[in-house]
Amino acid sequence: MAKKAADIASVLAFEKKLVVSDGYMYGTCWDDEHKSKAEPLKLVEKSVRGTISNRLKPAVQNDPAKLNAEVEKPNLQQVDACALGMEEDTLKLSFTIKVLSGVEKPSACNNAAFAQSYAEAAKGYVEKTGFRELAYRYAYNIANARFLWRNRLGAEKIDVCVKVGDWEQKFDAYTYSLRDFAEHEEIKALAGKIAAALSGEEAYQFIEVEAYAKLGMGQEVYPSEELVFDKGNSRKSKILYHVDGVAAMHSQKLGNALRTIDTWYPEFASEEGTGPIAIEPYGAVTNLGKAFRNPKDKVDFYTLFDKFALGEPLASVEEEHYVMAVLVRGGVFGKG
């Protein structure tokens, strides 16, 4: 029986269940079978003179003299860059994932009745699905190397090596699409290990991931870019991320790639070119400036979660997958 909306907790938080480390970047050679000579990639600073390329005011565009004067202005930049050495043709990216259980228990909840109602709904989901669908999609995004982001483009070959305890498996990333989650038998073993942790059969799983992308000798690679709020006296226009001098990718960026599994939003079938989006409460895709799960359409997380947690059936199991994926993502979901 459905509970009243007044039972919704005003203080509510869930710890993330996919805990991803930073990714460390190394240079190596594809022909080295064991890739044993991988060297940490370092950042270098460049000073370059660019050209003006931004949209100009109509008064400047329509006056040749003003346009010439504007174009002549030097666009001086100091930037960080990172590249493979001239004796290296392959990027190695290493990171780890810890998959945790306990999604049925909020880390903070100020309403006991709501916590009990939600726990019953979550246990029902686990009994019905065993987290198999979500786990398969997370495993798929490991296998297809979506986490390489820009480094994936233009790579001649990509291998992803995964290790969980004594179990190991290698995936050819180009075998798996970025547009769907088609069934592949060889992914199911990794998916089963992830599902075992999420469903509580195992307390956790620790996954080691090493990806190898053959880019070409001396080719540029792309660590994460730092968001600097106060540059102070720094004149750099681009600051890249590193850990103790080793070029790296943010754990948040890697995690975003792993949870890019939402194909259940309404526009997925009709919106050409968008594909799967990251699991977010409003389906936000910042680089497109769009929220694909608008509360007005009653497909956002809060609309669905309130029904789910209070015992009301959702329209489909896909909506349940989405709600539970947001909780695996974790976050603060209280009022205000």
Side-chain angles (χ1 to χ4, degrees):
M1 182 177 178
K3 308 290 192 301
K4 295 180 180 179
D7 287 336
I8 297 173
S10 59
V11 176
L12 184 65
F14 289 82
E15 295 175 345
K16 59 185 175 183
K17 302 306 178 186
L18 293 181
V19 185
V20 185
S21 74
D22 283 340
Y24 294 78
M25 307 179 84
Y26 305 87
T28 186
C29 292
W30 188 270
D31 292 335
D32 180 2
E33 183 179 355
H34 301 289
K35 312 292 191 296
S36 57
K37 298 179 182 178
E39 295 291 335
L41 293 179
K42 307 292 185 181
L43 303 183
V44 296
E45 184 178 301
K46 292 183 178 180
S47 298
V48 297
R49 184 183 189 279
T51 58
I52 300 296
S53 58
N54 58 288
R55 192 185 297 271
L56 300 174
K57 297 178 180 179
V60 177
Q61 293 180 25
N62 299 327
D63 187 326
K66 291 182 179 180
L67 178 60
N68 290 337
E70 192 70 22
V71 169
E72 286 177 1
K73 293 179 180 178
N75 182 17
L76 304 179
Q77 301 175 39
Q78 286 184 326
V79 299
D80 281 340
C82 187
L84 298 171
M86 290 308 296
E87 70 287 350
E88 301 165 340
D89 64 2
T90 299
L91 165 66
K92 174 185 175 182
L93 177 69
S94 299
F95 65 98
T96 61
I97 308 165
K98 183 172 282 188
V99 187
L100 302 175
S101 60
V103 74
E104 72 278 3
K105 299 177 183 178
S107 58
C109 181
N110 67 344
N111 188 312
F114 178 87
Q116 181 178 353
S117 176
Y118 163 72
E120 293 173 359
K123 289 176 182 176
Y125 174 84
V126 173
E127 291 174 1
K128 180 169 61 175
T129 71
F131 270 104
R132 288 181 294 274
E133 179 63 25
L134 296 189
Y136 182 83
R137 294 186 175 216
Y138 296 136
Y140 197 101
N141 279 339
I142 295 173
N144 68 12
R146 189 188 295 273
F147 51 81
L148 285 175
W149 291 97
R150 190 176 176 184
N151 298 292
R152 195 181 189 279
L153 302 177
E156 181 181 339
K157 304 174 185 177
I158 303 176
D159 281 348
V160 179
C161 302
V162 181
K163 184 176 180 181
V164 184
D166 295 331
W167 177 87
E168 296 183 43
Q169 189 166 358
K170 183 167 75 171
F171 301 96
D172 177 354
Y174 282 146
T175 303
Y176 314 103
S177 171
L178 295 177
R179 299 283 306 171
D180 58 41
F181 297 94
E183 187 170 332
H184 291 270
E185 193 65 31
E186 63 274 16
I187 292 180
K188 291 183 178 179
L190 175 59
K193 295 181 182 298
I194 296 174
L198 291 176
S199 64
E201 293 179 23
E202 301 282 349
Y204 70 92
Q205 293 282 14
F206 186 75
I207 304 172
E208 300 174 60
V209 181
E210 290 184 347
Y212 298 90
K214 186 177 181 181
L215 303 175
M217 290 186 294
Q219 283 294 298
E220 188 171 7
V221 301
Y222 304 98
S224 291
E225 186 171 349
E226 294 282 59
L227 178 60
V228 181
F229 293 98
D230 182 8
K231 291 187 177 181
N233 295 324
S234 175
R235 297 177 58 187
K236 283 187 185 180
S237 59
K238 182 168 71 172
I239 300 175
L240 299 180
Y241 183 54
H242 69 93
V243 179
D244 293 331
V246 181
M249 295 185 72
H250 291 149
S251 59
Q252 291 84 349
K253 187 160 188 169
L254 299 176
N256 182 281
L258 296 185
R259 59 185 171 83
T260 299
I261 64 171
D262 187 0
T263 59
W264 309 300
Y265 63 96
E267 293 184 42
F268 174 73
S270 59
E271 186 88 0
E272 187 66 27
T274 303
I277 62 175
I279 291 294
E280 293 287 348
Y282 297 109
V285 181
T286 54
N287 61 319
L288 297 179
K290 185 170 182 177
F292 286 91
R293 289 183 171 273
N294 195 312
K296 181 179 65 176
D297 301 323
K298 300 188 183 302
V299 292
D300 64 296
F301 167 71
Y302 291 100
T303 300
L304 299 176
F305 176 68
D306 290 350
K307 291 181 180 179
F308 176 80
L310 295 176
E312 297 182 32
L314 298 183
S316 66
V317 68
E318 286 78 13
E319 289 187 345
E320 294 182 21
H321 290 328
Y322 165 69
V323 168
M324 294 305 293
V326 175
L327 300 179
V328 169
R329 164 192 177 273
V332 179
F333 303 113
K335 297 180 181 179

